[in-house]
Amino acid sequence: MASDHAPPSPPAGDASPVQVLLPQVLPALVVGVAASLLFLGIEALSEELEDVLWHDLPGALGVGDYSSLWIISMLTAAGIAVGLLIWKVPGHAGPDPASEGLGGTPLAPGVIPGLLLASTLALAGGVSLGPENPIIASNIALAYWLGRKAAPTVPGAFWVSLASAATIGALFGTPVAAALVISEALVGVPGRGSLWDRLFAPLVAAGAGAMTTQLLAEPTFDTGLPPLTDPGWGDLLAALVIASAAAVFGLGSCYLFPYVHAAFRRLRHPMLMLPLGGLVLGLLGALGGSLTLFKGLEQVKELTSSVGSWSSGELARMAVVKLLALLVAASCGFRGGRIFPAVFIGAAFGLLAQALVLEVHPAVAVPSAVLGVLLATTRQGWISLFVGGVLAASPAVFALLCLASLPAWLIVTGRPQLELDAQGKSLH
């Protein structure tokens, strides 16, 4: 929920804002660095395991890295491994991810090892989910638990907001995304102090998390799209149409979500739900090809680095397969987030639009479609605009995206979300 990211208000009293804010700097820096290190550690571990599972092991067995047989076998094995974890580990690796958004109520610390291990196995195994939800939930739980022990008088919401902001900053390599999410969370939340007073500590944490990621990993969202510096009326029309069409496409998964989720829940046991889900993901991966596996960020770069070399049929297949893979992975119980797979879906959809209408510039088509799919699947307006703008890497195109978000938002607002309530019904 958006309000989970909202920091507490500065306390009332005679203390000046500087006296209130300065003591928040050190804990914010510590949380920011620690959140980034946890994220980078899980990323590094999953990448090492991915190399073993998808390159070393098939090479030793004389099997093609991404042959259909290996894809089906690996995804099914991932389902078995994660299902066994969820069945046996304390806390069952956290609650059903279908009913969890970014953030949420702090989990018990004992749940975190199982959650991180289940997420790592899913990332390495090729499941179409990202690391964001488990990493944010883990950092919130650890910051809340340790923070309450170190400073019992400090409100728990303070530690939750620091951990949320720090992890978002680390994930995207910039505190801007965290600032946007927290600002959105503050809308309608009563509190004392100016907006910047309330954003101060979370932004310090986000900045520390982002800088740690930048220094240690040098993340980049550069997709190699040809630049567009002087958009015209035709580009604006294309952005409006593509963002709206992509939002409709993304909404398809939201309408199907409760039904697919209910079908898996009828199996009742993780050792039935997860292996079957893995098998379905393997079949989808064999159909869609290797680019439709994993969280999707590196695959987006490969997809967009060769604009014009994909046929419209190939792009349509990849967009549909990845959408179905995200739907199945989120429904059967794999632990992971939905933002990064949704970016791949949007990129494939945007390139499909560009392949069908060659006059549309790729730097307009891809960011606009990513914007539309993210709005449909996350309902995070600022995050959707931010990711689309980063992919465009052009202030001029960002202006188009701001306008394109308006009709797309009208399409998705009030519609089912890719998140369920505790009873398995769609949130609106």
Side-chain angles (χ1 to χ4, degrees):
M1 297 293 183
S3 59
D4 296 323
H5 301 284
S9 303
D14 297 329
S16 70
V18 172
Q19 291 174 309
V20 172
L21 297 177
L22 274 181
Q24 299 177 9
V25 172
L26 181 58
L29 289 173
V30 171
V31 171
V33 173
S36 178
L37 291 177
L38 180 62
F39 161 61
L40 292 174
I42 294 300
E43 281 282 284
L45 181 60
S46 65
E47 288 171 2
E48 289 294 326
L49 184 57
E50 178 186 327
D51 284 339
V52 172
L53 296 178
W54 291 93
H55 301 293
D56 298 345
L57 188 56
L61 296 174
V63 180
D65 290 8
Y66 294 106
S67 66
S68 295
L69 177 60
W70 192 254
I71 290 173
I72 294 170
S73 300
M74 279 308 311
L75 267 300
T76 304
I80 294 171
V82 175
L84 185 62
L85 265 177
I86 293 173
W87 180 26
K88 291 297 187 180
V89 299
H92 306 290
D96 180 3
S99 59
E100 295 293 313
L102 291 177
T105 304
L107 301 174
V111 175
I112 302 310
L115 174 60
L116 291 176
L117 185 54
S119 173
T120 301
L121 290 176
L123 288 169
V127 176
S128 291
L129 291 172
E132 60 274 16
N133 287 46
I135 292 293
I136 291 175
S138 298
N139 278 328
I140 285 176
L142 294 173
Y144 181 85
W145 180 61
L146 294 171
R148 294 289 283 170
K149 283 186 171 296
T153 59
V154 175
F158 175 76
W159 303 108
V160 171
S161 66
L162 291 189
S164 299
T167 313
I168 294 171
L171 283 164
F172 292 101
T174 170
V176 175
L180 295 173
V181 170
I182 297 168
S183 298
E184 190 172 16
L186 287 173
V187 174
V189 178
R192 304 181 185 90
S194 72
L195 173 63
W196 285 101
D197 284 345
R198 301 174 70 186
L199 285 175
F200 181 83
L203 277 181
V204 172
M211 285 303 301
T212 303
T213 299
Q214 288 284 356
L215 291 172
L216 297 179
E218 298 181 358
T220 176
F221 282 82
D222 182 16
T223 57
L225 289 171
L228 175 64
T229 57
D230 189 23
W233 291 107
D235 297 308
L236 174 59
L237 177 61
L240 294 169
V241 172
I242 293 172
S244 298
V248 173
F249 182 66
L251 273 179
S253 65
C254 302
Y255 278 100
L256 290 172
F257 192 31
Y259 301 102
V260 178
H261 180 265
F264 278 105
R265 292 297 126 179
R266 289 192 185 99
L267 299 176
R268 304 181 69 84
H269 198 284
M271 285 304 292
L272 295 175
M273 293 187 293
L274 273 299
L276 178 59
L279 174 60
V280 175
L281 290 175
L283 294 171
L284 287 170
L287 175 63
S290 61
L291 283 186
T292 61
L293 303 175
F294 304 102
K295 66 181 180 183
L297 188 57
E298 293 302 317
Q299 290 72 24
V300 166
K301 296 175 184 178
E302 186 174 346
L303 191 68
T304 56
S305 65
S306 49
V307 175
S309 63
W310 305 99
S311 70
S312 57
E314 289 173 322
L315 292 166
R317 184 181 76 247
M318 285 191 283
V320 171
V321 165
K322 191 68 171 181
L323 188 75
L324 294 175
L326 172 58
L327 183 61
V328 170
S331 298
C332 70
F334 280 108
R335 274 39 176 173
R338 299 151 208 168
I339 292 177
F340 291 112
V343 172
F344 180 92
I345 295 166
F349 190 94
L351 290 178
L352 170 61
Q354 194 272 334
L356 293 175
V357 184
L358 296 177
E359 291 79 9
V360 175
H361 199 286
V364 173
V366 171
S368 298
V370 168
L371 169 68
V373 172
L374 282 175
L375 283 174
T377 55
T378 71
R379 301 303 152 83
Q380 295 276 350
W382 282 120
I383 283 287
S384 303
L385 266 174
F386 169 78
V387 175
V390 167
L391 294 178
S394 166
V397 175
F398 187 76
L400 299 183
L401 295 179
C402 290
L403 295 173
S405 69
L406 302 178
W409 183 256
L410 289 177
I411 291 170
V412 304
T413 188
R415 308 290 182 184
Q417 299 183 32
L418 200 64
E419 185 179 338
L420 306 176
D421 62 18
Q423 287 73 44
K425 296 181 180 179
S426 294
L427 295 179
H428 288 76

